[in-house]
Amino acid sequence: MFNRELQTPITELKGVGKETAEHLAALRIQTVYDLMYTFPYRHEDFRLKDLAQTPHNERVTVEARVEREASVMFLGKGKSRLQVQILVGRHLIKAVFFNQTYLKQKLIPGNIVTITGKWDQGRQAINGTHVHFGPKTDQIDFEPVYSLRGNFQQKRFRGFMRQALDTYGDYLVDVLPEAVRTQYQLVDVRTGLEGIHFPQHADHAKQARRRFVFEELFLFQLQIQALRKARRDTEVGTVIKFDNAQLKAFIASLPYELTNAQKRVVNEVCRDLLTPYRMNRLLQGDVGSGKTVVAAITLYAAVTAGYQGALMAPTEILAEQHAENLHAWFAPFNVRVALLSGSVKGKARRELLAQLANGEIDLLIGTHALIQPEVVFHNLGFVITDEQHRFGVEQRRILRDKGENPDVLFMTATPIPRTLSITAFGEMDVSIIDEMPAGRKPIETHWVKKEQFGAVVQKLESELLAGRQAYAICPLIEESDKLDVQNAVEAYEQLREIFRGRFEVGLMHGRLTPAEKDAVMRDFSEGKLHILVSTTVVEVGVNVPNATFMVVYDAERFGLAQLHQLRGRVGRGEHQSYCVLIADPKTDEGKERMLSMTETNDGFKLAQKDLELRGPGDFFGKKQSGLPEFKVADLVHDYRALEVARQTASELVQTDAFWQHEAYAPLRHVLAQSGVLDGERID
Ligand code: ADP
Ligand code: MG
């Protein structure tokens, strides 16, 4: 990057022929610059260690004297085992090497050698991986290990690296401005590259890594922040001057006092409404944290300013629930609320659309039906999307485009660890409801083994007898030979058998049409069904406060975030609720997931745990990850660096110096290359 010399093809290096170049190309290395920025995934530690202090199975490097000639045993199929007696200090031990018979000639009794390998305490032997013929003094402490393919040797690769740094190192331009480096005590790029490829000591490598973690996160954040700034500078939003007194009256009329978190978020959203910028905000709040009422309040704000509002939900039943709530809350106020769904047809639909177009409807609630072309607003000022992850980017964009740059709020019940949310949704503002309404009884969660199913049924029955309802959740809908998964159909039949003539059981799964799903869901929410057996389709924000019991079959097959989402279907009413996880996890990770579920009801804590257990890639699932791939940075552990990088980038793009000063030219160059300056969007 930045200058031609660094773009020199890798073939210019001595020793890189056609074949090697192809090999390197497969590692995405074509230029000298690419090579320098190919980082090792770890460093081999060759520091001398004291055997007496080394635990069993740890790697160790020792200086030793060869005591006797090595003996070789042939194991067949060209394999061999070489054993040699060595003296380490006053310790007489063995060193063992596999398939390296040639060492026999080189391990001369009386000579000093340096041997690295795994320490086998029981056998008093080192299972050697490296041997250096001579004392430790003339050998380095740390050696990088690169992920190379085939039989490409580390040593050869390091040779090219040395050559590249020696020949082209002087052309390196540091993208990180000196001011930033000084502020965070980061080494310059040359020192950094030396430190990561040829560390002299542990701290050298550590400082180098620190620098590149920052560089990576900072460059990424810089793009996001520059994009944000560009949008703010060019996009004209709507100033929604709401009526504060009316808003207060509405809040006072609600059946409960808002939690502090709800108040804070209402303020954040209202502040955005007032600004001329177009709001682009994500509201995260755990299941049951009370996002709907925040939506209602802020939509009302838009109405008091003379604008229309829209609330889009992913399912009909959810849209209906919202409409019911809003109807009730707005009854004493002069707000005209309408519900548009697929089942509003014919004349009713035509009338509704006409009223919407001439401004007789203030708030429109609905499903995807909202984004059809014939839905025309009079003056749409504010749009809220509930359970945003259920909609595609395109659907959200169409809804937004139905107004003149309306403000937009996305709500999600999926708590996302902050590192991920500022990475994946960096161009958005984020509001968080991190507090549950008072008096909520925490859901009691238990983890049981399959053999305890009888006890689970007993508990289920006692809840049903008390007039409550229950969910039974299964991972898959069909029998599969390979996976020993209890399927929904089977569970349904079993429970129907158990409760025949006493309680009604319903079945819901992904193969049902939306209308069928809605019908089943409605029967359950109206109490006609007592038990709902379902796959994960039930996950989305449905509110049946009378359901107090959930049993999850094969719970080890679910991720933490999903289990938590599912569990959020109970514990929504006045009664104590229970969640029983039936699971026989085979892995430690699986066991830990089950334990975490029984230990906390806090979605953010579970999300963080999930991130730690599964890593950022799996957290969102492949489909809508939106996460960039980082070479050195690690979103689980480098969160402090991420915060600092974000803050620094966000402040920097606001300064004139950044856009004009020579010192920032390399950074502007990065932005130009990424297309951000042309107004291209990352999303
Ligand atoms: P979610 O954030 O999952 O969408 P809801 O908006 O459905 O949560 O709210 C869950 C339940 O909590 C609803 O019954 C709602 O009326 C109730 N609720 C919301 N806010 C409060 C509050 N401040 N105090 C008491 N109950 C509340
Ligand atoms: Mg909700």
Side-chain angles (χ1 to χ4, degrees):
M1 229 188 301
F2 311 128
N3 48 32
R4 255 181 315 127
E5 284 78 4
L6 294 177
Q7 294 304 333
T8 306
I10 200 74
T11 42
E12 294 292 304
L13 291 182
K14 282 195 210 78
V16 179
K18 190 160 167 280
E19 204 179 318
T20 306
E22 274 168 20
H23 222 122
L24 291 170
L27 301 170
R28 291 201 231 159
I29 300 172
Q30 272 162 357
T31 65
V32 179
Y33 178 86
D34 297 339
L35 178 65
M36 292 178 183
Y37 267 75
T38 301
F39 296 144
Y41 64 91
R42 67 181 178 92
H43 287 98
E44 196 86 77
D45 185 349
F46 288 115
R47 284 176 298 179
L48 287 180
K49 282 200 195 126
D50 184 355
L51 266 187
Q53 308 283 334
T54 306
H56 178 64
N57 258 342
E58 288 262 296
R59 286 179 58 85
V60 66
T61 296
V62 295
E63 223 174 59
R65 194 177 74 197
V66 180
E67 286 303 292
R68 278 208 223 140
E69 207 169 286
S71 62
V72 176
M73 213 161 82
F74 291 95
L75 307 169
K77 291 189 184 163
K79 297 208 158 90
S80 67
R81 179 178 185 275
L82 177 147
Q83 180 173 313
V84 63
Q85 250 187 15
I86 54 174
L87 188 69
V88 181
R90 285 187 296 170
H91 244 69
L92 191 62
I93 64 165
K94 286 174 291 223
V96 178
F97 292 88
F98 285 94
N99 311 326
Q100 301 188 52
T101 41
Y102 69 94
L103 289 177
K104 187 170 161 67
Q105 275 73 48
K106 303 187 119 185
L107 293 166
I108 299 160
N111 279 8
I112 299 293
V113 291
T114 307
I115 291 178
T116 303
K118 238 189 205 173
W119 175 228
D120 185 333
Q121 200 167 28
R123 294 212 164 82
Q124 292 284 297
I126 293 175
N127 290 311
T129 51
H130 296 73
V131 56
H132 169 75
F133 305 100
K136 172 72 178 64
T137 41
D138 50 337
Q139 196 211 9
I140 54 161
D141 274 341
F142 294 96
E143 223 168 65
V145 185
Y146 301 89
S147 91
L148 306 176
R149 289 183 202 167
N151 52 3
F152 205 113
Q153 286 191 344
Q154 297 286 336
K155 198 169 164 191
R156 188 149 175 259
F157 191 80
R158 283 199 302 275
F160 294 138
M161 191 66 81
R162 187 67 270 159
Q163 211 191 123
L165 281 173
D166 288 345
T167 320
Y168 299 95
D170 287 345
Y171 297 109
L172 282 164
V173 175
D174 205 325
V175 275
L176 295 183
E178 201 175 334
V180 172
R181 272 186 280 129
T182 312
Q183 189 178 358
Y184 300 116
Q185 302 183 3
L186 300 167
V187 297
D188 64 81
V189 64
R190 182 87 191 260
T191 313
L193 288 175
E194 282 292 339
I196 211 145
H197 295 302
F198 300 99
Q200 302 297 313
H201 45 83
D203 196 51
H204 201 191
K206 197 170 142 203
Q207 291 306 327
R209 181 177 183 280
R210 202 173 149 261
R211 182 225 140 86
F212 289 112
V213 165
F214 185 86
E215 175 179 324
E216 200 163 39
L217 296 173
F218 178 71
L219 292 185
F220 179 70
Q221 282 296 325
L222 195 74
Q223 293 174 35
I224 289 175
Q225 300 303 330
L227 187 72
R228 262 171 72 112
K229 180 172 153 48
R231 284 189 186 167
R232 291 206 149 206
D233 290 351
T234 55
E235 286 183 348
V236 202
T238 323
V239 176
I240 300 189
K241 269 186 84 85
F242 56 86
D243 184 322
N244 215 1
Q246 277 183 293
L247 206 58
K248 282 200 171 127
F250 176 60
I251 294 173
S253 79
L254 291 169
Y256 37 71
E257 166 107 12
L258 296 184
T259 63
N260 287 326
Q262 284 171 321
K263 286 181 195 162
R264 188 185 65 237
V265 170
V266 166
N267 278 327
E268 285 167 359
V269 175
C270 283
R271 212 179 310 130
D272 277 4
L273 289 175
L274 281 175
T275 65
Y277 304 125
R278 218 198 56 200
M279 179 194 321
N280 187 28
R281 189 173 277 280
L282 179 70
L283 168 54
Q284 290 184 35
D286 212 339
V287 275
S289 62
K291 293 183 293 295
T292 318
V293 72
V294 169
I297 295 167
T298 52
L299 284 168
Y300 183 57
V303 172
T304 67
Y307 286 96
Q308 289 174 305
L311 174 59
M312 184 160 79
T315 62
E316 292 229 341
I317 183 129
L318 208 55
E320 276 172 30
Q321 271 180 16
H322 285 331
E324 250 169 58
N325 279 325
L326 267 58
H327 265 300
W329 288 331
F330 286 127
F333 297 80
N334 187 20
V335 180
R336 293 154 301 182
V337 182
L339 171 69
L340 178 65
S341 68
S343 37
V344 180
K345 293 195 176 98
K347 185 157 169 265
R349 184 182 172 86
R350 280 196 303 278
E351 276 176 15
L352 190 155
L353 291 178
Q355 289 174 339
L356 186 71
N358 66 26
E360 284 170 46
I361 289 172
D362 297 310
L363 291 181
L364 185 64
I365 299 162
T367 57
H368 303 75
L370 254 59
I371 59 174
Q372 289 162 350
E374 63 271 26
V375 178
V376 179
F377 288 82
H378 177 61
N379 61 345
L380 179 62
F382 185 31
V383 176
I384 301 182
T385 312
D386 195 13
E387 310 292 347
Q388 62 92 25
H389 60 286
R390 292 276 155 163
F391 295 98
V393 172
E394 192 50 28
Q395 293 171 322
R396 302 194 298 238
R397 196 191 326 269
I398 296 174
L399 182 60
R400 192 178 65 201
D401 288 346
K402 287 195 178 288
E404 295 253 344
N405 284 318
D407 283 320
V408 188
L409 179 71
F410 302 100
M411 305 202 294
T412 177
T414 312
I416 304 163
R418 184 165 164 81
T419 47
L420 291 195
S421 82
I422 69 181
T423 306
F425 305 107
E427 79 286 4
M428 291 180 154
D429 294 298
V430 177
S431 284
I432 295 177
I433 304 186
D434 52 4
E435 182 187 359
M436 285 289 172
R440 218 26 93 69
K441 294 190 184 76
I443 301 161
E444 246 182 59
T445 302
H446 300 276
W447 164 27
V448 303
K449 299 280 167 67
K450 282 207 182 83
E451 306 88 80
Q452 290 158 281
F453 187 68
V456 176
V457 171
Q458 267 180 18
K459 178 68 191 158
L460 166 60
E461 182 164 356
S462 75
E463 285 298 299
L464 296 179
L465 286 171
R468 306 284 84 78
Q469 289 163 281
Y471 295 97
I473 309 293
C474 308
L476 281 185
I477 75 146
E478 272 178 335
E479 213 138 37
S480 148
D481 298 337
K482 280 189 209 132
L483 301 169
D484 178 28
V485 176
Q486 180 139 11
N487 64 73
V489 178
E490 204 178 280
Y492 167 70
E493 313 240 290
Q494 187 188 28
L495 289 171
R496 228 165 46 144
E497 197 51 47
I498 295 174
F499 294 111
R500 187 178 298 282
R502 297 189 292 149
F503 297 108
E504 293 302 319
V505 186
L507 174 63
M508 169 129 108
H509 55 67
R511 296 284 170 87
L512 300 182
T513 65
E516 287 168 333
K517 277 186 213 162
D518 269 356
V520 176
M521 206 55 233
R522 193 157 292 130
D523 283 348
F524 185 64
S525 93
E526 286 169 5
K528 290 180 194 151
L529 295 173
H530 304 104
I531 303 175
L532 181 62
V533 178
S534 176
T535 57
T536 52
V537 290
V538 79
E539 192 185 320
V540 165
V542 176
N543 194 24
V544 183
N546 190 46
T548 56
F549 192 84
M550 173 175 286
V551 48
V552 183
Y553 294 87
D554 299 299
E556 75 273 9
R557 296 196 181 277
F558 297 91
L560 267 181
Q562 200 176 19
L563 281 175
H564 179 66
Q565 281 291 309
L566 288 167
R567 179 170 61 179
R569 300 305 109 223
V570 296
R572 302 175 79 88
E574 52 189 313
H575 305 285
Q576 174 64 50
S577 288
Y578 307 89
C579 175
V580 179
L581 308 172
I582 302 181
D584 293 300
K586 300 282 179 289
T587 61
D588 287 348
E589 191 244 88
K591 285 174 192 148
E592 210 170 321
R593 257 185 285 140
M594 296 308 118
L595 278 179
S596 302
M597 282 298 292
T598 64
E599 281 160 7
T600 182
N601 274 301
D602 183 328
F604 281 95
K605 278 196 192 134
L606 289 171
Q608 183 63 34
K609 189 83 196 172
D610 206 19
L611 175 62
E612 284 162 18
L613 289 175
R614 295 197 297 163
D618 288 335
F619 185 84
F620 287 111
K622 298 284 173 275
K623 207 174 82 211
Q624 53 134 25
S625 124
L627 284 179
E629 274 186 34
F630 293 121
K631 282 206 278 189
V632 266
D634 158 1
L635 289 176
V636 180
H637 299 105
D638 295 322
Y639 66 93
R640 297 237 325 257
L642 179 60
E643 290 282 358
V644 172
R646 172 180 155 96
Q647 192 61 34
T648 311
S650 137
E651 283 163 16
L652 194 58
V653 296
Q654 300 301 332
T655 64
D656 291 338
F658 176 75
W659 299 100
Q660 289 154 15
H661 206 283
E662 188 52 32
Y664 299 104
L667 286 179
R668 292 197 298 272
H669 180 82
V670 172
L671 289 185
Q673 283 200 327
S674 69
V676 168
L677 298 185
D678 311 329
E680 238 174 67
R681 297 178 167 221
I682 298 180
D683 65 7

